[in-house]
Amino acid sequence: MSDTKYIFVTGGVTSSLGKGIIAASLAKLLQARGYRTTIQKLDPYINVDPGTLNPYEHGECYVTDDGAETDLDLGHYERFLNVRTSQANNVTTGRIYQSVIEKERRGEFLGKTVQVVPHITNEIKERIQILGNSGDYDIIITEIGGTVGDIESLPYIEAVRQLLWELGEHNGIVIHLTLVPFLSAAGELKTKPTQHSVKTLMESGIKADILVCRTEHNISEDIKEKLALFCNVRKEAVIQSIDASTIYDVPLLMQEEGLDTVTLEKLALPNDTEPNLDQWKEFLNRHKNPKDKVTIGLIGKYVELPDSYKSIQEAFIHAGAANEVDVEVKSIHSEHLTAKNIDKKLKGLDGILVAPGFGERGIEGKVNAVKYARENNIPFLGICLGMQMAVIEFARTVLGLDKSNSTEMDKETPDPVISLMEEQKSITDMGGTMRLGSWDCHLKEGSLVEQVYGSSDIEERHRHRYEFNNKYKEQMEEAGLVASGLNPKTGLVEVVEIPSHPWFVGVQYHPEYKSTVASPHPLFVGFVKAVLTHKQKQNNASLA
Ligand code: GLN
């Protein structure tokens, strides 16, 4: 067994407590002390991956360099740690069963009855240890999705119990995240739900080493003592996690509470160095003290649930801090945008982003939004479907191909400016069959994007099936929509821009996945900068 140390993060009382943010914050503190740290998420649902899930279910589907479609918590891990994740960082029940069943079909279990214990639990244990055995990390934080006591998380809890026993003392610990609710009628914080969830964990043979208690009010010393006594942990191991104004405050709040110190003590690791969080604090300082403000419209169809566009929202926070400007992202439902009401709905926006998406719902609204941005010289960024809509709008309005469309929306269109690649045509399985993960892209010399990236060769992550149809490339370029980024191997168009417009860029890939606190994405930084310039120009014009 390797020397890697394991931290398991479980959740009690209720879901949505923010286990991902706590795990990412602890990882940040450990990384800032020099420990090579990564995080893994185990999801108890039966989908093989979240790629086939509607964003309304679990929010955005996050994509890694290696093309894994994963839980959005992996986005937080990358944004906090600036370390790339991969397929190994996200495991679902679907994937576990798929792999065990495939082994059974190959006869690998030598005639044995295949059961939840030990076969499913062994598979879970193996998946947890893959990252540890790579030798790349000192500490692995494994977040168990769901809430203890759920039927579906039982095999995970049993796998953790076995692993803790096998790893031995100080090599594996459990952090249990709970809720300490405030009852306004009684005027009190209540500890009972936490006591019950710790008890549920104990019934499965697991003792929590550290309690992180989510709360809306400060937890007094008395309550900490009570929680410690009844939950069988030391008082220093009862950590308050109070609501924060931004998720980026949480690492510092956890440091104040001593989460990293108590974690290192429990793992018998030296804790004498102070975490170096200078860069993090500088980012926070810029984020909290903006010198100006801009409003960007996010045109999408899943806007009711902010988590649907999580990475885009976070990329704007990073780019805002880089430009020392507060970016207000105004979500606008594309289904409600018509040629008639567009002026009213988009008036006052300093920039427009048309979001990624699938299917027909709301696309005409997106086309209208592109047209508005293009004709009014408003800085525009189109991502994936947003780029495709920009191409369609250009074909319809400028080239006069008024029935042009993507074959995703209209199979019979006479002008399929966005269409399927030959390889995609025979695919019937929906899971994991899109163009996924990191692809090279070469940027045209002298283009806006080349200037924005400060480089002509980039790698970006994809998640789509449809592509720019190269048959229309020449015609589009002659009319002023330039293909300024190409895949060097296939010639597929990855970026389009309009040089006669102040800032109009459409990208077939998803830049938002790669933006982190330490390294804000150049395209978002450039876009926000252009938006700010546009706003200042408008202000000056109205003053003149
Ligand atoms: N639906 C489009 C496609 O599959 C765009 C996907 C996206 O925006 N991620 O090509």
Side-chain angles (χ1 to χ4, degrees):
M1 202 162 277
S2 70
D3 302 332
T4 315
K5 306 269 186 176
Y6 290 85
I7 300 170
F8 300 98
V9 180
T10 56
V13 183
T14 165
S15 59
S16 305
L17 287 180
K19 283 197 295 279
I21 301 295
I22 294 294
S25 300
L26 174 60
K28 182 77 224 167
L29 294 174
L30 298 173
Q31 183 195 50
R33 287 178 187 258
Y35 292 105
R36 296 171 306 157
T37 312
T38 192
I39 321 183
Q40 178 187 45
K41 170 105 193 254
L42 307 184
D43 277 310
Y45 52 70
I46 298 174
N47 300 67
V48 172
D49 60 43
T52 54
L53 285 171
N54 184 320
Y56 290 127
E57 296 281 314
H58 292 274
E60 150 191 295
C61 170
Y62 186 76
V63 178
T64 56
D65 273 345
D66 65 348
E69 297 178 275
T70 72
D71 185 79
L72 60 77
D73 273 347
L74 268 76
H76 291 308
Y77 307 161
E78 289 205 9
R79 288 188 281 273
F80 275 50
L81 298 180
N82 202 33
V83 168
R84 298 285 173 235
T85 56
S86 69
Q87 180 65 72
N89 296 76
N90 193 195
V91 176
T92 66
T93 296
R95 197 168 287 280
I96 297 279
Y97 271 81
Q98 188 184 43
S99 155
V100 169
I101 291 168
E102 278 167 8
K103 285 180 186 166
E104 183 271 337
R105 292 288 85 184
R106 289 196 297 268
E108 286 183 29
F109 297 115
L110 305 174
K112 290 271 179 219
T113 308
V114 181
Q115 295 177 295
V116 173
V117 181
H119 300 98
I120 295 296
T121 47
N122 281 351
E123 183 74 26
I124 295 173
K125 279 157 58 183
E126 239 171 69
R127 299 278 177 150
I128 294 174
Q129 287 174 293
I130 285 176
L131 287 168
N133 293 340
S134 71
D136 294 338
Y137 304 104
D138 306 312
I139 301 172
I140 314 286
I141 302 181
T142 299
E143 178 193 341
I144 320 282
T147 308
V148 293
D150 291 350
I151 292 175
E152 52 187 19
S153 50
L154 281 175
Y156 292 95
I157 299 292
E158 169 59 12
V160 169
R161 187 196 67 74
Q162 291 182 18
L163 252 184
L164 286 168
W165 184 83
E166 286 165 17
L167 290 163
E169 219 183 335
H170 303 308
N171 293 326
I173 61 166
V174 172
I175 297 180
H176 189 56
L177 186 65
T178 73
L179 176 71
V180 177
F182 181 78
L183 281 197
S184 43
E188 273 182 355
L189 285 168
K190 290 295 184 188
T191 65
K192 196 77 83 189
T194 299
Q195 294 181 41
H196 279 296
S197 83
V198 168
K199 198 171 144 198
T200 307
L201 203 52
M202 274 206 244
E203 279 165 9
S204 303
I206 293 180
K207 180 186 161 314
D209 295 286
I210 297 171
L211 286 184
V212 174
C213 305
R214 295 282 293 110
T215 175
E216 290 173 0
H217 297 269
N218 277 310
I219 300 179
S220 68
E221 291 305 305
D222 283 357
I223 292 185
K224 278 194 176 177
E225 253 160 46
K226 188 173 171 189
L227 281 164
L229 178 65
F230 291 116
C231 299
N232 223 1
V233 296
R234 286 190 2 236
K235 195 177 148 211
E236 317 81 83
V238 179
I239 306 290
Q240 154 180 304
S241 168
I242 199 154
D243 287 356
S245 61
T246 152
I247 54 168
Y248 298 104
D249 269 336
V250 180
L252 301 178
L253 292 172
M254 290 299 100
Q255 186 191 15
E256 266 170 43
E257 280 284 310
L259 176 62
D260 51 336
T261 324
V262 68
T263 298
L264 290 170
E265 257 170 44
K266 301 253 174 215
L267 292 172
L269 287 171
N271 65 2
D272 36 14
T273 53
E274 273 296 302
N276 178 355
L277 292 162
D278 294 349
Q279 200 191 19
W280 191 270
K281 286 180 186 161
E282 198 191 308
F283 155 77
L284 262 181
N285 193 25
R286 282 167 158 265
H287 172 50
K288 290 186 174 177
N289 299 293
K291 300 208 169 90
D292 209 331
K293 186 187 168 179
V294 293
T295 308
I296 295 179
L298 169 63
I299 321 293
K301 68 170 174 180
Y302 308 113
V303 291
E304 303 89 334
L305 185 75
D307 272 3
S308 308
Y309 302 111
K310 194 79 203 163
S311 294
I312 293 177
Q313 305 271 7
E314 300 304 316
F316 275 129
I317 292 179
H318 310 153
N323 282 291
E324 291 181 280
V325 44
D326 176 20
V327 180
E328 187 200 343
V329 179
K330 201 170 152 195
S331 298
I332 297 168
H333 209 303
S334 54
E335 259 186 311
H336 307 152
L337 285 181
T338 61
K340 266 206 184 129
N341 70 13
I342 194 107
D343 277 340
K344 213 166 106 210
K345 293 248 182 198
L346 303 189
K347 211 174 110 203
L349 293 176
D350 306 311
I352 290 176
L353 183 144
V354 175
F358 292 85
E360 212 189 334
R361 185 166 68 94
I363 67 137
E364 291 306 323
K366 287 186 171 175
V367 171
N368 289 332
V370 176
K371 186 165 193 271
Y372 182 84
R374 190 177 57 76
E375 292 180 342
N376 293 292
N377 285 329
I378 299 170
F380 169 84
L381 179 59
I383 299 183
C384 210
L385 185 69
M387 173 265 203
Q388 299 176 351
M389 292 304 120
V391 171
I392 292 169
E393 191 279 321
F394 193 85
R396 287 186 189 172
T397 320
V398 182
L399 301 184
L401 309 172
D402 53 355
K403 292 204 171 53
S404 72
N405 213 329
S406 161
T407 51
E408 178 181 6
M409 322 303 168
D410 177 5
K411 288 203 171 35
E412 309 302 326
T413 170
D415 289 298
V417 289
I418 304 291
S419 63
L420 269 190
M421 277 185 305
E422 277 310 312
E423 305 92 277
Q424 285 282 347
K425 288 190 179 155
S426 56
I427 291 173
T428 50
D429 265 10
M430 293 311 264
T433 54
M434 284 185 263
R435 180 147 79 101
L436 287 165
S438 187
W439 291 78
D440 290 339
C441 174
H442 181 73
L443 304 176
K444 197 168 174 173
E445 218 188 302
S447 62
L448 170 64
V449 274
E450 187 204 42
Q451 187 202 329
V452 163
Y453 276 89
S455 159
S456 51
D457 289 289
I458 56 164
E459 286 167 16
E460 290 285 2
R461 299 181 195 169
H462 291 245
R463 180 173 186 254
H464 57 101
R465 216 179 287 282
Y466 295 82
E467 306 281 352
F468 181 103
N469 184 344
N470 270 326
K471 270 191 230 142
Y472 292 87
K473 191 163 139 221
E474 216 181 294
Q475 212 180 335
M476 299 248 183
E477 294 206 315
E478 273 167 16
L481 181 99
V482 176
S484 55
L486 298 181
N487 181 310
K489 286 209 185 87
T490 58
L492 285 171
V493 173
E494 315 284 40
V495 189
V496 295
E497 61 183 72
I498 299 181
S500 61
H501 185 284
W503 210 98
F504 187 104
V505 177
V507 289
Q508 185 58 83
Y509 50 77
H510 292 262
E512 70 274 22
Y513 292 145
K514 282 178 82 168
S515 187
T516 70
V517 166
S519 167
H521 196 286
L523 210 48
F524 278 86
V525 175
F527 180 47
V528 169
K529 194 169 158 209
V531 170
L532 183 62
T533 310
H534 174 75
K535 183 195 151 182
Q536 288 167 346
K537 260 198 200 148
Q538 295 289 108
N539 283 355
N540 291 344
S542 64
L543 287 176

